[in-house]
Amino acid sequence: AATGGAKPFDFVVIDGDKATMQGYFDFLLTTPGMLAPQAVVCLDMIPFKGQPPTRYVKFGQADRWEMCSGEQEISALRAMVTDAPEFTSHEFGGLLVVQRKAQQA
């Protein structure tokens, strides 16, 4: 974003697979010019419900579908954000809303 002339994001929603959600969040924070100084990042904290993909159901293999709910990854990300002094965060409605604290002058 910094070299291409694009403006940084003011608002981002991360709703991805739970195993790599921390990576998405870290990418946003560490990529220069990606986020505006007071950007808000919303993270989907709802565990995967375990619905089998259509192809498993279609071919009678729904009982063979196994998937991690992402609870451990969600808990680790929540702990990292809430324990970090540089963030302020609030969680409601399945979203963790995160913002960097304003820099002290």
Side-chain angles (χ1 to χ4, degrees):
T3 60
K7 294 183 179 179
F9 291 102
D10 292 322
F11 181 78
V12 176
V13 175
I14 299 176
D15 181 10
D17 60 294
K18 305 311 177 207
T20 55
M21 206 161 58
Q22 175 78 49
Y24 301 145
F25 186 67
D26 291 342
F27 176 78
L28 285 171
L29 295 177
T30 60
T31 302
M34 185 66 71
L35 293 176
Q38 292 297 306
V40 173
V41 179
C42 295
L43 300 133
D44 173 33
M45 302 301 272
I46 298 174
F48 181 72
K49 294 174 187 68
Q51 304 92 333
T54 303
R55 66 183 179 275
Y56 279 78
V57 175
K58 181 178 177 181
F59 294 106
Q61 302 293 315
D63 59 328
R64 292 184 175 227
W65 171 251
E66 293 181 22
M67 181 65 184
C68 174
S69 69
E71 285 283 350
Q72 289 179 329
E73 292 86 351
I74 290 168
S75 294
L77 180 56
R78 180 184 292 118
M80 186 279 298
V81 168
T82 57
D83 292 345
E86 69 265 26
F87 300 122
T88 183
S89 64
H90 305 280
E91 188 170 350
F92 53 92
L95 287 177
L96 180 61
V97 181
V98 181
Q99 187 175 32
R100 278 194 177 125
K101 291 181 180 175
Q103 297 290 330
Q104 298 295 325

